[in-house]
């Protein structure tokens, strides 16, 4: 039977990459079902095997980017079933430029419907986009004009409200596959609740707020009911040591928290 389904081309980091974007689309691809559409993926950006090799990653980035761009143009030229493009930039200069060039090619030559799913949100970048006339014009014409927008918080939707071309904005959440959750049915009420923080150790990921929350818990009667496991690599050298010392300086015993590293 001939497959007449239209294609939504999802353009993001490769699906074996670390992080929330790949996790989201691995879950979506596994569970997506539609009579009318099917999903296909095109990888863009840095490769996972260079994740820890920063210098090599930067040296090869432009070559991978040009290869991805050529593959993108080829697909849009010859695969007429591709009707919708979904991009996944963060509100950070490099991802905006990276995805922006792809979107411009589509606007000029292919005219496919476009969904922009903003994955990360950086306030200094947003402020520059608002204040600088050139950045503002580029951002609105490329990312907001005639595109469907998805963000991860109501606040981000409000932030975009200051741009007149931001019309079609939807709020969603990150996701996990509930089948990946392992339940410990033998847990007794006397056991401490182990809370896992799994992310890059960086202020943008909410680690500083978590540390403040742990301190507040221990100032109340609830602190001893929890253990916090903080897993992930530090973005700035010495940040984990700083966070550990902050907890210790607030008289929190190290049996109530642990940093596992990468």
């Amino acid at each position: 039977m001939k497959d007449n389904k239209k294609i939504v081309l999802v353009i993001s980091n490769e699906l074996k990459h670390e992080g929330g974007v790949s996790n989201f689309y691995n879950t979506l691809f596994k569970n997506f079902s539609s009579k009318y559409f099917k999903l296909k993926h095109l990888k863009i950006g840095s490769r996972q095997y260079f994740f820890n090799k920063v210098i090599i990653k930067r040296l090869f980035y432009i070559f991978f980017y040009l290869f991805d761009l050529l593959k993108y143009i080829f697909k849009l030229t010859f695969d007429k079933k591709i009707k919708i493009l979904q991009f996944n930039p963060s509100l950070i200069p490099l991802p905006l430029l990276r995805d922006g060039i792809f979107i411009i090619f589509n606007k000029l030559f292919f005219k496919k419907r476009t969904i922009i799913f903003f994955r990360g949100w950086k306030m200094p970048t947003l402020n520059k986009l608002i204040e600088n006339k050139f950045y503002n014009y580029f951002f609105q014409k490329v990312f907001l004009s005639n595109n469907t927008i998805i963000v991860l918080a109501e606040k981000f939707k409000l932030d975009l409200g200051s741009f007149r071309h931001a019309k079609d904005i939807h709020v969603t959440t990150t996701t996990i596959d509930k089948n990946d959750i392992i339940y410990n049915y033998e847990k007794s009420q006397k056991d401490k609740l182990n809370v896992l923080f799994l992310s890059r150790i960086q202020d943008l990921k909410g680690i500083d707020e978590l540390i403040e929350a742990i301190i507040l818990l221990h100032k109340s009667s609830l602190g001893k009911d929890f253990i916090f496991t903080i897993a992930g690599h530090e973005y700035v050298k010495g940040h984990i040591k700083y966070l550990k010392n902050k907890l210790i300086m607030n008289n929190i015993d190290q049996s109530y928290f642990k940093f596992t590293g990468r």
Side-chain angles (χ1 to χ4, degrees), residues 197-201 230-235 240 259-262:
F197 177 92
L198 179 60
S199 174
R200 184 170 68 245
I201 308 301
I230 300 169
H233 63 285
E234 57 187 359
Y235 187 69
I240 287 178
F259 289 81
T260 66
R262 184 175 175 77

Side-chain angles (χ1 to χ4, degrees), residues 69 101-102 114 125 140 145 153-154 165 199 201 250:
L69 181 59
I101 292 171
F102 275 57
T114 309
T125 303
Q140 294 212 59
S145 180
E154 288 289 346
H165 286 294
S199 174
I201 308 301
N250 280 274

Side-chain angles (χ1 to χ4, degrees), residues 171-189:
V171 180
T172 188
T173 66
T174 53
T175 186
I176 61 169
D177 189 333
K178 65 181 182 181
N179 294 319
D180 292 336
I181 299 173
I182 300 171
Y183 294 94
N184 181 5
Y185 292 105
E186 297 178 0
K187 184 182 187 315
S188 72
Q189 290 185 341

Side-chain angles (χ1 to χ4, degrees), residues 88-93 95-96 116-127 129-130 139 143-144 149-163 166 169-170 200 202-206:
N88 297 270
S90 293
L91 206 69
I92 298 172
L96 289 176
I116 312 294
F117 190 171
F118 288 107
R119 306 296 312 200
W121 206 256
K122 201 169 184 180
M123 290 307 297
T125 303
L126 178 69
N127 293 334
L129 293 172
I130 293 172
F139 182 65
F143 288 94
L144 303 185
I149 312 298
I150 303 174
V151 292
L152 288 169
E154 288 289 346
K155 181 187 182 303
F156 304 159
K157 182 176 180 178
L158 289 173
D159 288 341
L160 287 180
S162 61
F163 297 95
I169 308 175
H170 306 266
R200 184 170 68 245
Q202 183 185 8
D203 55 352
L204 291 174
K205 297 295 187 178

Side-chain angles (χ1 to χ4, degrees), residues 35 39 53 55 77 82 153 171 215 225 228 237:
K35 292 181 180 179
L39 304 180
K53 301 176 178 67
I55 295 175
T77 301
I82 297 174
V171 180
I215 292 169
D225 295 333
F228 288 86
K237 190 175 181 180

Side-chain angles (χ1 to χ4, degrees), residues 9-14 29 40-44 68-69 71-73 75 102:
L9 186 64
V10 176
I11 300 155
S12 74
N13 284 335
E14 58 182 335
F29 271 71
K40 284 194 174 180
H41 183 261
L42 177 69
K43 61 186 174 186
I44 181 177
D68 294 337
L69 181 59
K71 191 173 180 181
Y72 167 76
I73 293 170
K75 278 184 174 291
F102 275 57

Side-chain angles (χ1 to χ4, degrees), residues 132-144:
N132 184 289
K133 289 184 179 179
F134 173 77
Y135 294 157
N136 189 298
Y137 178 82
F138 173 82
F139 182 65
Q140 294 212 59
K141 292 297 286 184
V142 174
F143 288 94
L144 303 185

